Amino acid sequence: MKRQLVTAFIGAAALSLLTACGGGGTADQAAGGPQTIKVALWNYATTPEFKALIDGFQSANPDIKVEPVDILADDYPQKVTTMLAGGDTTDVLTMKNVIDYSRFATRGQLVPLTDEAKKLDPAQYSGLDAYDLEGKYFALPYRQDFWVLYYNKTLLKQAGVPESKLQNLTWSDYATLAKSLTKGDGASKVYGAYQHTWRSVVEATAAAQTGGNLLGGDYGFFKDQYQLTLDLQKDGVLMPWATAKSQKVTYNTMFSTGKAALMPMGTWYAATLLGDVKAGKTKVEWGVAPLPQKAAGKVTTFGSPTAFAVNKNSKHTDAAKKFVEYAASEAGATAVAKVGVTPSLQSQKILDTYFGLPGVPQDDVAKKAFKPDEVVLEMPVSDKSADIDQILTEEHELIMTGQKSLDAGLNEMSKRVKNEVG
Amino acid sequence: MAGQTVEQAAATLTAPARVRPRRRRSSTWVGWTFILPNFLGFATLTLVPVIASLALSFLDWDSYSSPRWVGLANFERMIHNETFWTALRNTAYYAVGHVPLTLVAALGFAVLLNRKLRAVRFFRTALFFPYITSLVAVAVVWNMLLSPDLGPVNQFLRAIGIDNPPGWTTSTAWAMPAVIMASVWRDLGYYMILYLAGLQTIPAELYEAAQVDGASGWQRFWHITVPSLRPTTFFVLIMLTISSFKVFDLVQVMTEGGPGRATLVLSQVIFREGITQGRFGYSSAISMVLFVIVLTVTLIQFRLQRRSER
């Protein structure tokens, strides 16, 4: 008797183990009544645009409830890939970058949104064309980031540099200025500029401003931009790349604690600064200028749009589409602009909303920075982008740590991209 | 068989007169149900994925489209891929550094802390501590210590007159030694505990007899301690070898395989190709190679052990 009990108990335990694995949420009814859609996104607490969009959408559509699926920003692409591989039904997916977008779309993981995209005016939507896959669209952008030059007003004033000087900087002006702004030693050192460890800071800038092709397998066009960066590093104007990388230095720390006077960075950083100033986390007085250019004149910078897409496995496709359309609409763009994030829809009205925010720099330099003449896509979309990105990153490390000479590094990049990706 | 003797013992306890075959069959069944939950976990989470991975290595599969049979194409691609060979060399480099250093350090500290020292418990705990510390914290702290210009290690080296201290994790030549150093520091506590347990089993009389015969400390260590610890050493060696070939987390956090590909190891390539790039077939092929390497090395160690036992 006792033994039978034991057996039954173990059997039940094993069964519950099995069923626990096979469990998972049950989808609520698709037709009629209040619905809940899930939106995959990252760092919900510190990325204000998501809350702004979800709140705005819910008040416009009271019959649809939105539930955020919060993922760590760094893990986001991998986590979403794994989720989709497992047949996850999360309704809306944020497309963090266009490389992942093209991968998900070409694998048939996303619901086509071509009709919805055709309704948008490409002249007003910055970054819309990045989602064009041979005439088809699978996502609608709601946000467009591009690179600008952040500067510390206090440090500039101390050095007697007028801010208007930053309106038309060339890279050699930038180098001269950064040198003059460098001061101090050891722990109290203030760097003239901080360039983060990402390869894009050097490479995407060079590609955008020389018209070079990042997927081309011939990287001679990087040379000037690398030379400039390496020279600044040698002169102690930039924090050594090796230190920044091995200490996992964050660009926010460097800029918001006043340890760097100039910093090329994406427009998304403005939202962080606005939030941190408001919360009293930083006292830095900041301004934005256009990204320095190869030659003074037209402002060319690089950037990437962010979009929402609908999961093919979604059980609430219509509600999910509504959310994606809302985020791309004027109402969505206004909500995004209000939290200090640059929306994809850049009409005058939206720009006015943005500059009307307390804390956003209002001057002409900033206005010029936020209206670049051309925004080139940070990394062109192709099935080879991810592999090439890996090779470029590895060689970038070797050049920046001085493990390879500039010429040898550039040669190796070209050789490896041609041989290994082909 | 151990199972049988337990069963027999149980049978003698409950039914001393005679064992009925039916009873025995049902108790076997009960025995199975005891290991069933564990086995099911192992089967669903380890065995099935391993077999699936073997099958996947002959397929082209991105986890979305239906898989396509490609025969040996994944292996061919691997042989012609420079990154694979770099990672294989790096993995071997790591193992060759990590295994003997950890073994020697663990044994050394175990012998040292097996005596009646003051605060011996404190030192044992202190050495074991890194093993239970978060790996990310370990990596971050080591990165700080080894920072090329401001790190305490290089400041010390400069203070003792070395003008050009190594760049550690930012130098292609020193990145791997830096990773090995951190991993030895982290792992030695665990293996030291195993050795300490082994040392407790050596009878004190052996040492006393040797002392009477006038053996020196070194002789006693070499002729009594080392041979008596052979089973422990064998176990430690196997565990260390397997864990060395599988190394992933420490490298991922400390150097991400860089600078360049200086510390890129096989498990990172498997992760990148599979999870990041969605080439599950190719990634499985590499993991099969890793599996075969680990299996071969382990079998060789077993054979050597058996030979030395004879």
Side-chain angles (χ1 to χ4, degrees), chain A residues 76-396:
Chain A
Y76 186 80
Q78 277 153 16
K79 171 83 180 166
V80 170
T81 307
T82 324
M83 276 163 61
L84 290 179
D88 190 273
T89 56
T90 300
D91 306 279
V92 177
L93 307 167
T94 316
M95 297 290 111
K96 201 167 187 238
N97 63 56
V98 268
I99 299 175
D100 289 330
Y101 160 74
S102 78
R103 195 157 34 188
F104 296 141
T106 49
R107 283 171 183 170
Q109 280 304 118
L110 307 175
V111 173
L113 296 169
T114 313
D115 294 342
E116 288 79 0
K118 291 270 156 78
K119 287 184 213 150
L120 307 178
D121 173 13
Q124 299 238 311
Y125 281 86
S126 179
L128 180 64
D129 46 351
Y131 296 93
D132 179 348
L133 285 174
E134 290 163 357
K136 288 189 187 136
Y137 291 82
F138 298 87
L140 303 183
Y142 70 93
R143 161 178 174 181
Q144 160 81 332
D145 288 300
F146 48 84
W147 279 56
V148 292
L149 182 69
Y150 290 83
Y151 62 91
N152 183 319
K153 291 190 172 198
T154 318
L155 292 173
L156 241 64
K157 202 185 280 171
Q158 280 169 8
V161 181
E163 288 174 34
S164 60
K165 210 182 157 187
L166 298 174
Q167 197 153 9
N168 287 303
L169 281 188
T170 64
W171 283 106
S172 73
D173 297 338
Y174 162 86
T176 320
L177 184 60
K179 265 180 219 169
S180 73
L181 291 167
T182 306
K183 61 186 179 191
D185 233 324
S188 63
K189 176 155 184 170
V190 173
Y191 292 97
Y194 178 73
Q195 293 186 194
H196 199 51
T197 54
W198 300 324
R199 64 166 190 80
S200 282
V201 185
V202 180
E203 297 181 358
T205 304
Q209 296 184 353
T210 65
N213 179 5
L214 281 167
L215 305 180
D218 194 356
Y219 298 107
F221 65 88
F222 287 160
K223 193 165 179 178
D224 289 349
Q225 203 64 28
Y226 265 117
Q227 197 62 60
L228 177 109
T229 306
L230 290 170
D231 286 346
L232 287 177
Q233 177 170 295
K234 204 175 77 194
D235 294 342
V237 176
L238 297 177
M239 171 183 260
W241 189 94
T243 307
K245 175 78 180 178
S246 65
Q247 301 310 297
K248 303 191 192 295
V249 168
T250 67
Y251 61 84
N252 186 24
T253 309
M254 289 302 287
F255 190 77
S256 67
T257 58
K259 294 200 75 69
L262 306 171
M263 184 172 81
M265 191 43 67
T267 43
W268 63 80
Y269 184 46
T272 311
L273 280 172
L274 285 174
D276 284 0
V277 170
K278 210 166 148 190
K281 284 189 205 159
T282 172
K283 290 202 173 71
V284 72
E285 280 185 58
W286 58 283
V288 230
L291 194 70
Q293 301 293 308
K294 238 180 133 49
K298 216 177 100 184
V299 176
T300 305
T301 180
F302 68 95
S304 346
T306 313
F308 285 118
V310 178
N311 185 353
K312 197 113 194 200
N313 291 329
S314 164
K315 302 267 194 304
H316 316 100
T317 315
D318 290 336
K321 271 188 184 172
K322 257 190 198 167
F323 180 81
V324 177
E325 281 184 280
Y326 168 81
S329 72
E330 191 169 326
T334 311
V336 169
K338 273 190 180 156
V339 292
V341 170
T342 43
S344 176
L345 172 61
Q346 287 170 355
S347 64
Q348 195 51 50
K349 207 175 143 198
I350 303 281
L351 281 174
D352 289 345
T353 309
Y354 188 87
F355 284 108
L357 286 177
V360 170
Q362 309 277 343
D363 52 287
D364 291 345
V365 185
K367 288 208 165 129
K368 189 175 175 195
F370 279 108
K371 263 207 158 304
D373 298 298
E374 195 188 358
V375 180
V376 179
L377 197 57
E378 181 166 355
M379 183 76 180
V381 178
S382 131
D383 54 349
K384 300 188 170 77
S385 301
D387 285 312
I388 294 177
D389 177 52
Q390 185 67 47
I391 295 174
L392 294 182
T393 303
E394 286 169 1
E395 298 304 321
H396 172 70

Side-chain angles (χ1 to χ4, degrees), chain A residues 10 45 55 64 74 105 203 290 339 383:
Chain A
I10 291 169
D55 289 349
I64 304 174
D74 282 350
E203 297 181 358
V339 292
D383 54 349

Side-chain angles (χ1 to χ4, degrees), chain B residues 148-163:
Chain B
D149 43 356
L150 305 166
V153 173
N154 277 2
Q155 283 183 354
F156 170 75
L157 290 177
R158 275 191 208 100
I160 60 167
I162 297 167
D163 290 333

Side-chain angles (χ1 to χ4, degrees), chain A residues 3 7 10 78 81 84-85 103 107 109 242-243 246-248 386-387 390 394 397-398 401 403 416 420, chain B residues 29-30 33 62-64 83 143-144 147 149 169-172 253 256 258-261 271-272 276-277 279:
Chain A
R3 189 172 290 169
T7 326
I10 291 169
Q78 277 153 16
T81 307
L84 290 179
R103 195 157 34 188
R107 283 171 183 170
Q109 280 304 118
T243 307
S246 65
Q247 301 310 297
K248 303 191 192 295
D387 285 312
Q390 185 67 47
E394 286 169 1
E397 288 182 10
L398 297 175
T401 48
Q403 297 291 305
R416 282 188 62 195
E420 291 173 37
Chain B
W29 200 77
V30 170
T33 56
D62 60 9
S63 84
Y64 300 105
T83 303
N143 272 354
M144 281 180 177
S147 172
D149 43 356
T169 56
T170 61
S171 132
T172 41
V253 191
E256 291 171 57
R261 288 178 289 182
F271 175 77
R272 270 187 202 170
T276 318
Q277 310 277 27
R279 296 187 196 114

Side-chain angles (χ1 to χ4, degrees), chain B residues 28-79:
Chain B
T28 313
W29 200 77
V30 170
W32 277 106
T33 56
F34 271 107
I35 64 161
L36 192 68
N38 198 355
F39 179 75
L40 276 178
F42 167 74
T44 45
L45 298 174
T46 309
L47 193 63
V48 173
V50 166
I51 295 168
S53 171
L54 174 66
L56 270 181
S57 63
F58 300 103
L59 302 173
D60 180 21
W61 187 53
D62 60 9
S63 84
Y64 300 105
S65 5
S66 41
R68 200 164 52 87
W69 179 265
V70 291
L72 293 174
N74 284 328
F75 293 93
E76 232 166 87
R77 175 193 181 139
M78 185 170 74
I79 291 171

Side-chain angles (χ1 to χ4, degrees), chain B residues 9-260:
Chain B
T12 10
L13 275 177
T14 49
R18 66 197 155 104
V19 181
R20 279 168 300 182
R22 223 176 109 200
R23 189 107 188 230
R24 177 181 282 186
R25 212 176 303 137
S26 78
S27 65
T28 313
W29 200 77
V30 170
W32 277 106
T33 56
F34 271 107
I35 64 161
L36 192 68
N38 198 355
F39 179 75
L40 276 178
F42 167 74
T44 45
L45 298 174
T46 309
L47 193 63
V48 173
V50 166
I51 295 168
S53 171
L54 174 66
L56 270 181
S57 63
F58 300 103
L59 302 173
D60 180 21
W61 187 53
D62 60 9
S63 84
Y64 300 105
S65 5
S66 41
R68 200 164 52 87
W69 179 265
V70 291
L72 293 174
N74 284 328
F75 293 93
E76 232 166 87
R77 175 193 181 139
M78 185 170 74
I79 291 171
H80 294 115
N81 187 322
E82 208 194 309
T83 303
F84 166 75
W85 291 108
T86 310
L88 183 63
R89 272 196 301 275
N90 288 342
T91 311
Y93 181 1
Y94 174 83
V96 166
H98 179 242
V99 176
L101 284 177
T102 312
L103 195 122
V104 169
L107 177 60
F109 279 110
V111 170
L112 199 72
L113 295 179
N114 195 37
R115 298 183 209 171
K116 288 197 175 59
L117 283 176
R118 244 185 184 201
V120 72
R121 277 163 201 272
F122 168 77
F123 286 115
R124 283 182 191 172
T125 317
L127 280 167
F128 189 68
F129 213 67
Y131 191 73
I132 50 166
T133 306
S134 147
L135 191 119
V136 177
V138 168
V140 170
V141 169
W142 274 92
N143 272 354
M144 281 180 177
L145 291 174
L146 295 174
S147 172
D149 43 356
L150 305 166
V153 173
N154 277 2
Q155 283 183 354
F156 170 75
L157 290 177
R158 275 191 208 100
I160 60 167
I162 297 167
D163 290 333
N164 258 327
W168 300 115
T169 56
T170 61
S171 132
T172 41
W174 286 97
M176 192 55 102
V179 171
I180 292 174
M181 218 152 66
S183 69
V184 169
W185 178 80
R186 186 183 114 91
D187 289 347
L188 82 88
Y190 174 71
Y191 295 103
M192 178 194 74
I193 296 289
L194 293 181
Y195 269 125
L196 273 172
L199 285 171
Q200 315 278 319
T201 63
I202 305 174
E205 298 86 61
L206 288 179
Y207 290 106
E208 282 158 16
Q211 213 153 8
V212 171
D213 290 342
S216 69
W218 176 249
Q219 280 172 326
R220 269 176 282 152
F221 172 75
W222 197 246
H223 294 289
I224 300 173
T225 314
V226 171
S228 308
L229 284 176
R230 191 166 282 155
T232 314
T233 306
F234 177 59
F235 179 72
V236 167
L237 201 61
I238 300 277
M239 297 310 285
L240 263 177
T241 312
I242 294 176
S243 75
S244 292
F245 277 100
K246 291 198 315 190
V247 65
F248 175 77
D249 35 20
L250 192 72
V251 180
Q252 182 71 20
V253 191
M254 258 183 100
T255 62
E256 291 171 57

